[in-house]
Each structure stands twice: as C-alpha cells, then as structure tokens.
Coordinates of all heavy atoms in Angstrom, one line a residue:
M1 N 10.8 -0.7 -14.9 CA 10.6 -0.5 -13.4 C 11.0 -1.8 -12.7 O 10.8 -2.9 -13.1 CB 9.1 -0.3 -13.2 CG 8.7 -0.2 -11.8 SD 7.0 0.2 -11.4 CE 7.0 1.9 -11.9
T2 N 11.6 -1.5 -11.5 CA 12.0 -2.7 -10.7 C 10.9 -3.1 -9.7 O 9.9 -2.2 -9.5 CB 13.3 -2.3 -9.9 OG1 12.9 -1.3 -8.9 CG2 14.4 -1.8 -10.8
L3 N 11.0 -4.2 -9.2 CA 10.0 -4.7 -8.2 C 10.1 -3.7 -6.9 O 9.0 -3.4 -6.4 CB 10.4 -6.1 -7.7 CG 9.4 -6.7 -6.7 CD1 8.0 -6.8 -7.3 CD2 9.9 -8.1 -6.3
E4 N 11.2 -3.3 -6.6 CA 11.3 -2.4 -5.4 C 10.6 -1.0 -5.7 O 9.9 -0.5 -4.8 CB 12.8 -2.1 -5.1 CG 13.5 -3.3 -4.5 CD 12.8 -4.0 -3.4 OE1 12.3 -3.4 -2.4 OE2 12.6 -5.3 -3.4
E5 N 10.7 -0.5 -6.9 CA 10.0 0.7 -7.2 C 8.5 0.5 -7.2 O 7.7 1.3 -6.7 CB 10.4 1.2 -8.6 CG 11.8 1.7 -8.7 CD 12.3 2.0 -10.1 OE1 11.9 1.3 -11.0 OE2 13.2 2.8 -10.2
A6 N 8.0 -0.7 -7.7 CA 6.6 -1.0 -7.7 C 6.1 -1.2 -6.2 O 5.0 -0.6 -5.9 CB 6.3 -2.3 -8.5
I7 N 6.9 -1.8 -5.4 CA 6.5 -2.0 -4.0 C 6.4 -0.6 -3.3 O 5.4 -0.4 -2.6 CB 7.5 -2.9 -3.2 CG1 7.3 -4.3 -3.8 CG2 7.3 -2.8 -1.7 CD1 8.4 -5.3 -3.3
A8 N 7.3 0.2 -3.6 CA 7.3 1.6 -3.0 C 6.1 2.4 -3.4 O 5.4 3.0 -2.5 CB 8.6 2.4 -3.3
E9 N 5.7 2.3 -4.7 CA 4.6 3.1 -5.1 C 3.3 2.5 -4.6 O 2.4 3.2 -4.1 CB 4.5 3.0 -6.6 CG 3.3 3.7 -7.3 CD 3.1 5.1 -6.9 OE1 4.1 5.8 -6.5 OE2 1.9 5.6 -7.0
I10 N 3.2 1.1 -4.5 CA 2.0 0.6 -4.0 C 1.8 0.9 -2.5 O 0.8 1.2 -2.0 CB 1.9 -0.9 -4.2 CG1 1.7 -1.2 -5.7 CG2 0.8 -1.6 -3.5 CD1 1.9 -2.6 -6.1
S11 N 3.0 0.8 -1.8 CA 2.9 1.1 -0.3 C 2.5 2.6 -0.1 O 1.8 2.9 0.8 CB 4.3 0.9 0.3 OG 4.7 -0.5 0.2
R12 N 3.0 3.4 -1.0 CA 2.6 4.9 -0.9 C 1.1 5.0 -1.1 O 0.4 5.8 -0.4 CB 3.3 5.7 -2.0 CG 3.1 7.2 -1.8 CD 3.5 8.0 -3.1 NE 2.7 7.6 -4.3 CZ 1.4 8.0 -4.5 NH1 0.8 8.7 -3.6 NH2 0.8 7.7 -5.6
R13 N 0.5 4.3 -2.1 CA -0.9 4.3 -2.4 C -1.7 3.8 -1.2 O -2.8 4.3 -0.9 CB -1.2 3.6 -3.6 CG -0.7 4.3 -4.9 CD -0.9 3.4 -6.1 NE -0.3 4.0 -7.3 CZ -1.0 4.3 -8.4 NH1 -2.3 4.0 -8.5 NH2 -0.4 4.9 -9.4
V14 N -1.2 2.7 -0.6 CA -1.9 2.2 0.6 C -1.9 3.2 1.7 O -3.0 3.5 2.3 CB -1.3 0.8 1.0 CG1 -1.8 0.4 2.4 CG2 -1.5 -0.2 0.0
S15 N -0.8 3.8 2.0 CA -0.7 4.8 3.1 C -1.6 6.0 2.8 O -2.1 6.6 3.7 CB 0.8 5.2 3.2 OG 1.5 4.2 3.7
A16 N -1.6 6.4 1.5 CA -2.5 7.6 1.2 C -4.0 7.2 1.4 O -4.8 8.1 1.8 CB -2.3 8.0 -0.3
A17 N -4.4 6.0 1.1 CA -5.7 5.6 1.3 C -6.1 5.4 2.7 O -7.2 5.6 3.1 CB -6.0 4.3 0.5
C18 N -5.1 4.9 3.5 CA -5.3 4.6 4.9 C -4.0 4.8 5.7 O -3.2 3.9 5.8 CB -5.8 3.2 5.1 SG -6.1 2.8 6.8
P19 N -3.8 6.0 6.2 CA -2.5 6.3 6.9 C -2.2 5.4 8.0 O -1.0 5.2 8.3 CB -2.7 7.8 7.3 CG -3.7 8.4 6.5 CD -4.6 7.3 6.1
E20 N -3.2 4.8 8.7 CA -3.0 4.0 9.8 C -2.7 2.5 9.5 O -2.5 1.7 10.3 CB -4.1 4.1 10.9 CG -5.4 3.6 10.4 CD -6.3 4.7 9.8 OE1 -5.8 5.8 9.3 OE2 -7.5 4.5 9.7
A21 N -2.7 2.2 8.1 CA -2.5 0.8 7.7 C -1.1 0.4 8.0 O -0.2 1.1 7.9 CB -2.8 0.7 6.2
V22 N -1.0 -0.9 8.4 CA 0.3 -1.5 8.7 C 0.6 -2.4 7.4 O -0.2 -3.2 7.1 CB 0.3 -2.3 9.9 CG1 1.7 -3.0 10.1 CG2 0.0 -1.4 11.1
V23 N 1.7 -2.2 6.8 CA 2.1 -2.9 5.5 C 3.2 -3.9 5.8 O 4.2 -3.6 6.4 CB 2.5 -1.8 4.4 CG1 2.9 -2.6 3.2 CG2 1.4 -0.9 4.1
R24 N 3.0 -5.1 5.3 CA 4.0 -6.1 5.4 C 4.2 -6.6 3.9 O 3.3 -6.9 3.2 CB 3.6 -7.3 6.3 CG 3.5 -6.9 7.7 CD 4.8 -6.5 8.3 NE 4.8 -6.3 9.7 CZ 4.7 -5.1 10.3 NH1 4.8 -4.0 9.5 NH2 4.6 -4.9 11.6
I25 N 5.5 -6.9 3.6 CA 5.8 -7.3 2.2 C 6.6 -8.6 2.2 O 7.5 -8.8 3.0 CB 6.8 -6.2 1.5 CG1 6.0 -4.9 1.5 CG2 7.2 -6.6 0.1 CD1 6.9 -3.7 1.4
T26 N 6.2 -9.5 1.2 CA 6.9 -10.7 1.0 C 7.3 -10.8 -0.4 O 6.4 -10.6 -1.3 CB 5.9 -11.9 1.3 OG1 5.5 -11.8 2.7 CG2 6.6 -13.2 1.2
R27 N 8.6 -11.0 -0.6 CA 9.1 -11.1 -2.0 C 9.3 -12.6 -2.3 O 9.9 -13.3 -1.6 CB 10.4 -10.4 -2.1 CG 10.3 -8.9 -2.0 CD 11.7 -8.2 -1.7 NE 11.5 -6.8 -1.4 CZ 11.2 -6.2 -0.3 NH1 10.8 -7.0 0.8 NH2 11.1 -4.9 -0.2
A28 N 8.6 -13.0 -3.4 CA 8.7 -14.4 -3.8 C 9.7 -14.6 -4.9 O 10.3 -15.7 -5.0 CB 7.3 -14.9 -4.3
S29 N 10.1 -13.6 -5.7 CA 11.0 -13.7 -6.7 C 11.4 -12.3 -7.2 O 10.8 -11.4 -6.7 CB 10.5 -14.5 -8.0 OG 9.6 -13.8 -8.6
P30 N 12.3 -12.1 -8.1 CA 12.6 -10.8 -8.6 C 11.4 -10.1 -9.3 O 11.5 -8.9 -9.5 CB 13.8 -11.0 -9.5 CG 14.4 -12.2 -9.1 CD 13.3 -13.1 -8.6
E31 N 10.4 -10.9 -9.6 CA 9.3 -10.3 -10.4 C 8.0 -10.4 -9.6 O 6.9 -10.1 -10.1 CB 9.1 -10.9 -11.7 CG 10.3 -10.8 -12.7 CD 11.3 -11.8 -12.5 OE1 11.0 -12.9 -12.0 OE2 12.5 -11.6 -12.8
E32 N 8.0 -10.9 -8.4 CA 6.7 -11.3 -7.7 C 6.8 -11.0 -6.2 O 7.8 -11.3 -5.6 CB 6.4 -12.7 -7.9 CG 5.1 -13.2 -7.3 CD 4.9 -14.7 -7.5 OE1 5.7 -15.3 -8.2 OE2 3.9 -15.1 -7.1
A33 N 5.8 -10.3 -5.7 CA 5.7 -10.0 -4.3 C 4.2 -9.9 -3.9 O 3.3 -9.8 -4.7 CB 6.4 -8.6 -4.0
S34 N 4.0 -10.0 -2.5 CA 2.7 -9.8 -2.0 C 2.8 -8.7 -1.0 O 3.8 -8.7 -0.2 CB 2.1 -11.0 -1.5 OG 2.8 -11.5 -0.4
I35 N 1.8 -7.8 -1.0 CA 1.8 -6.7 0.0 C 0.5 -6.9 0.9 O -0.6 -7.0 0.3 CB 1.8 -5.4 -0.7 CG1 3.1 -5.2 -1.4 CG2 1.5 -4.2 0.4 CD1 3.1 -3.9 -2.2
R36 N 0.7 -7.1 2.1 CA -0.4 -7.3 3.0 C -0.6 -6.0 3.8 O 0.3 -5.5 4.4 CB -0.1 -8.5 4.0 CG 0.0 -9.8 3.2 CD 0.4 -11.0 4.1 NE 1.4 -10.8 5.1 CZ 2.8 -10.8 4.9 NH1 3.2 -11.0 3.7 NH2 3.6 -10.5 5.9
A37 N -1.8 -5.5 3.7 CA -2.2 -4.3 4.3 C -3.2 -4.6 5.5 O -4.2 -5.2 5.2 CB -2.8 -3.3 3.4
Y38 N -2.8 -4.3 6.7 CA -3.6 -4.5 7.8 C -4.2 -3.2 8.2 O -3.5 -2.3 8.6 CB -2.8 -5.1 9.0 CG -2.2 -6.4 8.7 CD1 -1.0 -6.5 8.0 CD2 -2.9 -7.6 9.0 CE1 -0.5 -7.8 7.7 CE2 -2.4 -8.8 8.7 CZ -1.2 -8.9 8.1 OH -0.6 -10.2 7.8
A39 N -5.6 -3.1 8.1 CA -6.2 -1.8 8.2 C -7.7 -2.1 8.8 O -8.1 -3.2 8.8 CB -6.4 -1.1 6.9
P40 N -8.3 -1.0 9.3 CA -9.7 -1.1 9.8 C -10.6 -1.7 8.6 O -10.4 -1.3 7.5 CB -10.1 0.3 10.1 CG -8.8 1.0 10.5 CD -7.8 0.4 9.5
A41 N -11.6 -2.5 9.0 CA -12.4 -3.2 8.1 C -13.1 -2.2 7.1 O -13.2 -2.6 5.9 CB -13.4 -4.0 8.8
G42 N -13.4 -1.0 7.5 CA -14.2 -0.1 6.6 C -13.4 0.5 5.4 O -14.0 1.1 4.5
V43 N -12.1 0.3 5.4 CA -11.3 0.9 4.3 C -10.7 -0.1 3.3 O -10.0 0.2 2.4 CB -10.1 1.7 4.9 CG1 -10.5 2.9 5.7 CG2 -9.1 0.8 5.7
E44 N -11.2 -1.3 3.4 CA -10.7 -2.4 2.5 C -11.0 -2.0 1.0 O -10.1 -2.0 0.2 CB -11.4 -3.7 2.8 CG -11.0 -4.8 1.8 CD -11.6 -6.1 2.1 OE1 -12.3 -6.3 3.1 OE2 -11.4 -7.1 1.3
A45 N -12.2 -1.5 0.8 CA -12.5 -1.2 -0.6 C -11.7 0.1 -1.1 O -11.3 0.1 -2.2 CB -14.0 -0.9 -0.7
T46 N -11.5 1.0 -0.2 CA -10.7 2.2 -0.5 C -9.2 1.8 -0.9 O -8.7 2.3 -1.9 CB -10.6 3.2 0.6 OG1 -12.0 3.5 1.0 CG2 -9.9 4.4 0.3
I47 N -8.6 0.9 -0.2 CA -7.3 0.4 -0.5 C -7.3 -0.3 -1.8 O -6.4 -0.1 -2.7 CB -6.7 -0.5 0.6 CG1 -6.5 0.4 1.9 CG2 -5.4 -1.2 0.2 CD1 -6.1 -0.4 3.2
K48 N -8.2 -1.2 -2.0 CA -8.4 -1.9 -3.3 C -8.5 -1.0 -4.5 O -7.9 -1.2 -5.5 CB -9.4 -3.0 -3.2 CG -9.1 -4.1 -2.4 CD -10.2 -5.2 -2.4 CE -9.8 -6.4 -1.5 NZ -10.8 -7.4 -1.6
E49 N -9.4 0.0 -4.3 CA -9.5 1.0 -5.4 C -8.2 1.7 -5.7 O -8.0 2.1 -6.9 CB -10.6 2.0 -5.0 CG -12.0 1.4 -5.1 CD -13.0 2.4 -4.5 OE1 -12.8 3.6 -4.5 OE2 -14.2 2.0 -4.2
A50 N -7.5 2.0 -4.6 CA -6.2 2.8 -4.8 C -5.1 2.0 -5.5 O -4.2 2.6 -6.0 CB -5.8 3.4 -3.5
T51 N -5.2 0.7 -5.4 CA -4.1 -0.2 -5.9 C -4.4 -1.1 -7.1 O -3.5 -1.5 -7.8 CB -3.5 -1.0 -4.8 OG1 -4.6 -1.9 -4.2 CG2 -3.0 -0.2 -3.6
Q52 N -5.6 -1.5 -7.3 CA -6.0 -2.4 -8.3 C -5.6 -2.2 -9.7 O -4.9 -3.0 -10.3 CB -7.5 -2.7 -8.2 CG -7.9 -4.0 -9.1 CD -9.3 -4.3 -8.8 OE1 -10.2 -3.5 -8.3 NE2 -9.7 -5.6 -9.2
D53 N -5.9 -1.0 -10.2 CA -5.6 -0.7 -11.6 C -4.0 -0.7 -11.7 O -3.5 -1.1 -12.8 CB -6.2 0.7 -12.0 CG -7.7 0.6 -12.2 OD1 -8.2 -0.5 -12.4 OD2 -8.3 1.7 -12.2
Y54 N -3.3 -0.1 -10.7 CA -1.9 -0.1 -10.8 C -1.3 -1.4 -10.9 O -0.4 -1.7 -11.6 CB -1.4 0.8 -9.6 CG 0.1 1.0 -9.7 CD1 0.7 1.8 -10.8 CD2 1.0 0.5 -8.8 CE1 2.0 2.0 -10.9 CE2 2.4 0.6 -8.9 CZ 2.9 1.4 -9.9 OH 4.2 1.6 -10.0
T55 N -1.8 -2.4 -10.0 CA -1.2 -3.7 -10.0 C -1.5 -4.4 -11.4 O -0.6 -5.2 -11.8 CB -1.7 -4.6 -8.8 OG1 -3.1 -4.6 -8.9 CG2 -1.3 -4.0 -7.5
I56 N -2.6 -4.1 -12.0 CA -2.9 -4.7 -13.3 C -1.9 -4.2 -14.3 O -1.4 -4.9 -15.2 CB -4.3 -4.5 -13.7 CG1 -5.2 -5.4 -12.7 CG2 -4.6 -4.9 -15.1 CD1 -6.7 -5.0 -12.9
Q57 N -1.6 -2.9 -14.3 CA -0.7 -2.2 -15.2 C 0.7 -2.8 -15.0 O 1.4 -3.0 -16.0 CB -0.6 -0.7 -14.9 CG -1.9 0.0 -15.4 CD -1.8 1.5 -15.0 OE1 -0.8 2.0 -14.5 NE2 -3.0 2.2 -15.1
L58 N 1.1 -3.1 -13.8 CA 2.4 -3.7 -13.5 C 2.5 -5.0 -14.1 O 3.5 -5.4 -14.7 CB 2.7 -3.8 -12.0 CG 2.9 -2.4 -11.3 CD1 2.9 -2.7 -9.8 CD2 4.3 -1.8 -11.7
L59 N 1.5 -5.8 -14.0 CA 1.5 -7.2 -14.5 C 1.5 -7.2 -16.0 O 2.3 -7.9 -16.6 CB 0.2 -8.0 -14.0 CG 0.2 -9.4 -14.4 CD1 1.4 -10.2 -13.9 CD2 -1.1 -10.0 -13.9
T60 N 0.6 -6.4 -16.7 CA 0.6 -6.4 -18.1 C 1.6 -5.6 -18.8 O 2.1 -5.9 -19.9 CB -0.8 -5.9 -18.6 OG1 -1.0 -4.6 -18.1 CG2 -2.0 -6.8 -18.1
G61 N 2.1 -4.5 -18.2 CA 3.1 -3.7 -18.8 C 4.5 -3.9 -18.4 O 5.4 -3.7 -19.2
E62 N 4.7 -4.4 -17.2 CA 6.1 -4.5 -16.7 C 6.5 -6.0 -16.4 O 7.6 -6.3 -16.0 CB 6.2 -3.7 -15.4 CG 6.0 -2.2 -15.5 CD 7.0 -1.5 -16.3 OE1 8.2 -2.0 -16.3 OE2 6.7 -0.4 -16.9
G63 N 5.5 -6.9 -16.4 CA 5.7 -8.3 -16.0 C 6.0 -8.5 -14.6 O 6.6 -9.5 -14.2
L64 N 5.5 -7.5 -13.7 CA 5.6 -7.6 -12.2 C 4.3 -8.1 -11.7 O 3.3 -7.4 -11.9 CB 6.1 -6.3 -11.7 CG 7.4 -5.8 -12.2 CD1 7.7 -4.4 -11.6 CD2 8.6 -6.8 -11.8
D65 N 4.3 -9.1 -10.9 CA 3.2 -9.7 -10.2 C 3.2 -9.2 -8.8 O 3.9 -9.8 -8.0 CB 3.1 -11.2 -10.4 CG 1.8 -11.7 -9.8 OD1 0.9 -11.0 -9.4 OD2 1.7 -13.0 -9.7
V66 N 2.5 -8.2 -8.4 CA 2.4 -7.7 -7.1 C 1.0 -7.7 -6.6 O 0.1 -7.0 -7.1 CB 3.0 -6.3 -6.9 CG1 3.0 -5.8 -5.5 CG2 4.4 -6.1 -7.5
Q67 N 0.7 -8.6 -5.6 CA -0.7 -8.8 -5.1 C -0.8 -7.9 -3.8 O 0.1 -7.8 -3.0 CB -0.9 -10.2 -4.8 CG -0.8 -11.1 -5.9 CD -1.0 -12.6 -5.5 OE1 -1.3 -12.9 -4.4 NE2 -0.8 -13.5 -6.5
V68 N -2.0 -7.3 -3.7 CA -2.3 -6.5 -2.5 C -3.4 -7.2 -1.8 O -4.5 -7.5 -2.4 CB -2.7 -5.1 -2.9 CG1 -3.1 -4.3 -1.6 CG2 -1.6 -4.4 -3.6
L69 N -3.2 -7.7 -0.6 CA -4.1 -8.4 0.3 C -4.5 -7.5 1.4 O -3.6 -7.0 2.1 CB -3.6 -9.7 0.7 CG -3.0 -10.6 -0.4 CD1 -2.2 -11.7 0.2 CD2 -4.1 -11.1 -1.3
V70 N -5.7 -7.3 1.7 CA -6.2 -6.4 2.8 C -6.8 -7.3 3.9 O -7.7 -8.1 3.6 CB -7.1 -5.4 2.3 CG1 -7.5 -4.4 3.4 CG2 -6.6 -4.6 1.1
Y71 N -6.3 -7.0 5.1 CA -6.8 -7.8 6.3 C -7.4 -6.8 7.3 O -6.9 -5.6 7.4 CB -5.7 -8.6 6.9 CG -5.1 -9.6 6.1 CD1 -4.0 -9.4 5.3 CD2 -5.7 -10.9 6.1 CE1 -3.4 -10.4 4.5 CE2 -5.1 -11.9 5.3 CZ -4.0 -11.6 4.5 OH -3.4 -12.6 3.7
D72 N -8.4 -7.2 8.0 CA -8.9 -6.4 9.1 C -8.0 -6.5 10.3 O -7.7 -7.5 10.9 CB -10.3 -6.9 9.5 CG -11.0 -6.2 10.6 OD1 -10.4 -5.2 11.1 OD2 -12.1 -6.6 11.0
I73 N -7.4 -5.3 10.6 CA -6.4 -5.3 11.7 C -7.0 -5.7 13.0 O -6.3 -6.1 14.0 CB -5.7 -3.9 11.8 CG1 -4.4 -4.0 12.5 CG2 -6.6 -2.9 12.3 CD1 -3.5 -2.9 12.3
A74 N -8.4 -5.5 13.2 CA -9.0 -5.9 14.5 C -9.0 -7.4 14.7 O -9.0 -7.9 15.8 CB -10.4 -5.4 14.5
T75 N -9.0 -8.2 13.6 CA -9.0 -9.7 13.8 C -7.8 -10.4 13.3 O -7.6 -11.6 13.6 CB -10.3 -10.2 13.0 OG1 -10.1 -9.9 11.6 CG2 -11.6 -9.7 13.5
S76 N -7.0 -9.7 12.5 CA -5.8 -10.3 12.0 C -4.6 -9.3 12.3 O -4.4 -8.3 11.6 CB -5.8 -10.5 10.5 OG -6.8 -11.4 10.2
L77 N -3.8 -9.7 13.4 CA -2.7 -8.8 13.7 C -1.6 -9.0 12.8 O -1.3 -10.1 12.3 CB -2.3 -9.1 15.2 CG -3.3 -8.8 16.2 CD1 -2.8 -9.2 17.6 CD2 -3.6 -7.3 16.2
P78 N -0.9 -7.9 12.4 CA 0.2 -8.0 11.4 C 1.4 -8.7 12.1 O 1.6 -8.5 13.3 CB 0.6 -6.6 11.1 CG -0.1 -5.7 12.1 CD -1.2 -6.5 12.7
P79 N 2.1 -9.6 11.4 CA 3.3 -10.3 11.9 C 4.4 -9.2 12.1 O 4.4 -8.2 11.6 CB 3.6 -11.2 10.8 CG 3.0 -10.7 9.6 CD 1.8 -9.9 10.0
E80 N 5.3 -9.6 13.0 CA 6.5 -8.8 13.2 C 7.2 -8.7 11.9 O 7.3 -9.6 11.1 CB 7.3 -9.4 14.3 CG 6.7 -9.4 15.7 CD 6.3 -8.1 16.2 OE1 7.1 -7.2 16.1 OE2 5.2 -7.9 16.8
E81 N 8.0 -7.6 11.8 CA 8.8 -7.4 10.6 C 9.9 -8.3 10.6 O 10.6 -8.6 11.5 CB 9.2 -5.9 10.4 CG 8.0 -5.1 10.0 CD 8.5 -3.7 9.5 OE1 8.6 -2.8 10.4 OE2 8.7 -3.5 8.3

C-alpha cells in the first residue's frame, strides 16, 4: 500500500464519521504523514474510533506512520490548503 492510498482511506473514514469535518494533510516523508481533522467537539471520539485501528494496522503491517489529530473547529480554524 502506498502512503497516498492510506491517506485516501483515512480521509474517507473521517468523512464517514463526520461529513462536515475539514481535513488537512501534511506529508513528512514517503512513509509518514499527519492528517488533521477539524470537526465539532462532540465527534472527536467518533473520528478516533473510525481511524485508530486502521492507523495501527498501517504502522505494523505496512510500515506507514499516519497520525490522525482531531481539533475542535470552533476553537481551531483549519489552515488554508
């Protein structure tokens, strides 16, 4: 699996958990990225539940380190793309 495929799947999972979430991606290397999800405070746990097991599988099975960070969109506005 490529990093881009992993990012696409995690982004899909975030959107499924919270359609109004705003996603920003930072690639650190060909094997490492962070995905920042800006969403209402009440859905943080839902997003984490939707992505946590998958990110662990990526790290242990594929050697891809993709972190998902969730921010309250009311207090932390997403940066411009």
Side-chain angles (χ1 to χ4, degrees):
M1 172 174 292
T2 68
L3 182 62
E4 293 308 314
E5 291 169 332
I7 289 170
E9 176 59 20
I10 293 171
S11 297
R12 185 196 66 74
R13 290 173 184 237
V14 169
S15 293
C18 180
E20 65 269 21
V22 177
V23 175
R24 295 292 185 259
I25 299 160
T26 303
R27 292 162 184 82
S29 74
E31 298 86 25
E32 183 180 0
S34 64
I35 297 176
R36 296 176 318 278
Y38 297 85
V43 297
E44 178 179 356
T46 304
I47 292 172
K48 287 183 177 183
E49 286 174 21
T51 59
Q52 188 172 20
D53 288 342
Y54 186 67
T55 58
I56 292 169
Q57 289 173 10
L58 288 172
L59 184 61
T60 58
E62 302 287 337
L64 298 174
D65 184 8
V66 184
Q67 298 177 7
V68 178
L69 308 167
V70 183
Y71 297 92
D72 180 358
I73 198 165
T75 59
S76 299
L77 295 177
E80 296 296 319
E81 285 192 275

